[in-house]
Structures are given as C-alpha cells and as structure tokens.
Amino acid sequence: SESNVSVGDILALTDEKRRALISKLGENLTVRRLTLVKAPTIVGSYVPTDNKKAALVALEGGDAELARDVAMQVVAASPRYLTPADAPPEMVAKEREIATDLVNNDAANAKKPDEIKAKIIDGKVRKAVDEFALVQQVFVKNGDLTDWGFHTDRFRKVQRRNSGLTIESFLTITPGFEEPKRTPSKEK
C-alpha cells in the first residue's frame, strides 16, 4: 500500500531529528543527502560496529534476515552493481583492453590460435566484471559459495519457496564527501 507521506513531511522529520541531535551532541550537523528507499516487501539495513559504512537493500520477497544478510554483503564486499549485465560499458571495455594486453604479451600464449586467445580474454573479462557484481560474489558471512551461492543457490531456493525473490536495489552509504553508490536494476 502506498503511503501518504510527502517529501515535505520527510524533510520536516529529518530536520526535527537533526535539531534533536544538535541539542544532544552540542555540535552543528548538516544533512547533505537524503534518499528514500522503497521496496515491495522489505528494506534491509546493515551498519557495522565501526560505523564507517552502511548499506540499504530493497527486496521483493525474502525476509528480514535475508535482507540484513544482503546488506551485510554490500558493506563487506563493496559491489559496484547488481549483475554483470549492469557493469558500465566503459569498465568492461577497459577490462577487455587490460586482458587483451596481458594475453598478447604472455609468452605462454604466443603460439595459441586467436580463437583460444579470445576465449582466454573473455574469461578474464568475465572474472573481472563478476568480481564487482553483487549476485556473483562469494557470501562473506561464511566464505562458502555453496552455502549462500551468492547468490545463485540460496536465491534460487528462496525464489522457489517465496515464488520469486528480487533484489530491487542496493545503496552504499559512507560518511564524508563521497556520493552513495546506488543500483536501480533488478535481479530475479
């Protein structure tokens, strides 16, 4: 169900909380950015004890524990995008350039046919792109790809039980001048 809360209401509440913190801490505080995160089912969050980074995730399906686990993954592994398909084309092109140089300058590949070199390059690019895709990462909570499958096995199991888990988006928040990284795409 849609909420009748307006942007003005959110800004007023934020300012009220900011003023309360100023009174409590005796320090001037400013809110530099404010992001509304909505999800069909649940918004999960995780802030580690060092308070240096935080994450919000929006899920359709799943539960609070799963949402927190995904947010924990975002904080710990710093994914840049949700799926490999979401990787910026300029990043993929740069990785392809690097992989091509590596393969072509490796004496071990000198006598290999071009088709084999192309497959090696594709594998290196895929590995580099997958490293920063949330759904391809090894689950940091226990380091076991088969337990979390991050996010293949477990998401498929959850998807079967819940008839469709979707990560709507994730948001990484860090203090300071860096803008948060946000991913608007969906993964089923």
Side-chain angles (χ1 to χ4, degrees), residues 45-169:
S45 65
Y46 179 73
V47 181
T49 55
D50 65 5
N51 291 318
K52 291 184 177 181
K53 196 177 196 183
L56 296 172
V57 296
L59 300 181
E60 179 177 353
D63 56 26
E65 180 185 354
L66 179 62
R68 185 176 188 280
D69 283 350
V70 175
M72 183 186 304
Q73 178 74 22
V74 170
V75 167
S78 301
R80 295 180 186 168
Y81 35 83
L82 188 58
T83 70
D86 298 323
E90 56 278 357
M91 182 240 180
V92 175
K94 182 67 177 170
E95 291 298 334
R96 183 162 300 284
E97 181 182 317
I98 292 167
T100 301
D101 286 346
L102 285 171
V103 170
N104 289 336
N105 294 323
D106 186 350
N109 296 323
K111 295 182 180 181
K112 291 183 180 173
D114 288 344
E115 309 84 57
I116 300 297
K117 287 181 185 178
K119 288 182 181 184
I120 294 169
I121 292 167
D122 288 345
K124 288 181 177 294
V125 171
R126 189 173 32 260
K127 182 178 178 185
V129 170
D130 286 357
E131 181 180 344
F132 295 107
L134 176 62
V135 298
Q136 296 296 110
Q137 294 176 332
V138 173
F139 182 42
V140 297
K141 192 171 180 180
N142 66 7
D144 184 356
L145 183 64
T146 59
D147 179 57
W148 182 264
F150 210 23
H151 294 72
T152 314
D153 294 356
R154 182 167 181 194
F155 278 171
R156 285 187 184 138
K157 289 175 190 167
V158 170
Q159 190 169 19
R160 282 188 217 114
R161 283 197 316 258
N162 294 323
S163 69
L165 170 70
T166 303
I167 302 173
E168 295 287 329
S169 65

